Amino acid sequence: MKLSTRGKYGLLAMYDLAVNDQKPVAIKAIAQRQGISDAYLEQLIASLKKARLVSSTRGAQGGYQLTRPPHTISIGEILLALEGSVSVTDCVSSPDCGQGCDCPSRPVFHKIQEGIDHILADLTLADMLDCKTDSPEHASVEATI
Amino acid sequence: MKLSTRGKYGLLAMYDLAVNDQKPVAIKAIAQRQGISDAYLEQLIASLKKARLVSSTRGAQGGYQLTRPPHTISIGEILLALEGSVSVTDCVSSPDCGQGCDCPSRPVFHKIQEGIDHILADLTLADMLDCKTDSPEHASVEATI
DNA sequence: TGAATTCAGAGTGTTTTACTCGGAATTAAC
DNA sequence: GTTAATTCCGAGTAAAACACTCTGAATTCA
């Protein structure tokens, strides 16, 4: 159930683009600021571009930019672009899950998926920017299971 | 973000135990009914036992049983026992996530985690049993992203 | 022309996953 | 008390996924 580094780094990259939104931002700049390998980041951004979440300008002084304002880009979209899919299990989508057809897990998986999709659709890139203005630290950070 | 087979199979095993609750159920029986390798299932059940979700009876006619009634066992507990942790990322729990300290992803990850935890805490094993009584198929099954 | 960039794809070491296997310990049934 | 059915335990392994790296084009600003 963990997110891979693709998701994590990609989110940071999108955040970086949202913050530096005036002109094209080079991969190297993002990588340095966010502490990520730039060769790797290149791949991730390629996925983001394919999903049309960012646009690119080639050549010197080139770089990447968001295609839409941060509050219209959901975290779910970003993660989907990077992780390929954000589904808990294939069972949910495919009718033939292997264990015959009326698998007892199905409805449960379906509910979990709905919940997660909902959360990811509601959160947007703007929520990452907010935390800057939002000065006082969020209180409890321990309860994670 | 996908669940591993541990989670999936383990959930099916728990379901099987919930259905056959009168006496100890042998691994072989569960494995056969649910279509899982019994040697592998053995490992999974070991995790469930360590988490005290099931108890065992050794020897011939032995097997496993739930330690608590289905409606008191949350899906979250089960998944936690099997997958080790159900956190989206370690960032959420550990204060030092690598990228310096006030990482912009944090609050977002935190919210996602809260949401998932909530869903998993609310769903219980009983919800898997319900689908039996709940005769008519749930309508839409397509929307998964 | 030269330097800065994106673009594209192949290559690689490490880790995780999803198992299998063998054998010891325990217990009900005969 | 022997036998058959089981749980228990730990080691081993093939395949896939992950997290990168590297090389070399193509493009564009200065």
Side-chain angles (χ1 to χ4, degrees):
Chain A
M1 284 287 288
K2 272 200 178 41
L3 230 45
S4 68
T5 54
R6 293 186 59 103
K8 286 192 260 182
Y9 294 171
L11 228 43
L12 287 175
M14 288 294 280
Y15 165 79
D16 197 276
L17 290 180
V19 172
N20 304 80
D21 61 348
Q22 55 294 59
K23 54 176 183 287
V25 185
I27 283 187
K28 261 188 191 161
I30 303 176
Q32 232 167 34
R33 272 191 295 262
Q34 306 300 331
I36 308 173
S37 140
D38 57 340
Y40 188 35
L41 183 56
E42 209 172 281
Q43 286 189 9
L44 310 189
I45 295 230
S47 300
L48 293 171
K49 199 193 168 191
K50 190 181 292 181
R52 302 188 181 282
L53 293 174
V54 305
S55 62
S56 63
T57 315
R58 300 185 69 168
Q61 257 60 44
Y64 297 88
Q65 282 176 291
L66 297 182
T67 53
R68 285 144 45 196
H71 72 275
T72 70
I73 303 180
S74 77
I75 300 296
E77 278 184 286
I78 302 175
L79 259 26
L80 176 61
L82 294 161
E83 308 267 340
S85 136
V86 198
S87 63
V88 183
T89 165
D90 299 325
C91 293
V92 189
S93 40
S94 90
D96 178 25
C97 45
Q99 0 271 121
C101 216
D102 41 21
C103 160
S105 307
R106 255 235 184 141
V108 166
F109 287 149
H110 199 260
K111 278 187 190 167
I112 296 174
Q113 192 62 54
E114 272 181 352
I116 294 180
D117 286 348
H118 195 258
I119 296 168
L120 296 182
D122 280 356
L123 286 170
T124 72
L125 242 197
D127 290 311
M128 293 184 68
L129 302 175
D130 286 353
C131 71
K132 281 285 177 186
T133 18
D134 203 352
S135 45
E137 292 288 327
H138 271 273
S140 64
V141 193
E142 6 74 38
T144 311
I145 288 187
Chain B
M1 283 289 288
K2 272 202 178 40
L3 229 45
S4 69
T5 55
R6 296 190 59 127
K8 287 193 259 182
Y9 294 170
L11 227 42
L12 285 175
M14 288 294 279
Y15 165 79
D16 197 275
L17 290 180
V19 172
N20 304 80
D21 61 348
Q22 56 294 58
K23 54 177 185 288
V25 185
I27 283 187
K28 262 187 190 161
I30 303 177
Q32 232 167 34
R33 273 192 294 263
Q34 307 300 330
I36 308 172
S37 140
D38 57 340
Y40 188 36
L41 183 56
E42 207 173 284
Q43 286 187 8
L44 310 188
I45 295 232
S47 300
L48 293 172
K49 200 192 167 192
K50 192 181 289 179
R52 302 186 182 283
L53 293 175
V54 305
S55 63
S56 63
T57 315
R58 301 186 66 168
Q61 258 58 45
Y64 297 88
Q65 281 176 292
L66 297 181
T67 53
R68 284 146 42 196
H71 71 276
T72 69
I73 303 180
S74 77
I75 301 296
E77 278 183 285
I78 302 175
L79 260 26
L80 175 61
L82 293 161
E83 308 266 341
S85 136
V86 198
S87 63
V88 183
T89 166
D90 299 324
C91 294
V92 188
S93 41
S94 89
D96 179 25
C97 44
Q99 0 270 123
C101 216
D102 41 20
C103 161
S105 308
R106 257 240 182 134
V108 166
F109 286 148
H110 200 258
K111 278 187 189 166
I112 296 174
Q113 191 62 54
E114 271 180 353
I116 294 179
D117 286 348
H118 195 258
I119 297 169
L120 296 181
D122 280 356
L123 285 170
T124 72
L125 241 199
D127 290 311
M128 293 185 68
L129 302 174
D130 286 354
C131 71
K132 280 285 176 185
T133 18
D134 203 352
S135 46
E137 292 288 329
H138 271 273
S140 63
V141 194
E142 5 74 37
T144 313
I145 285 189

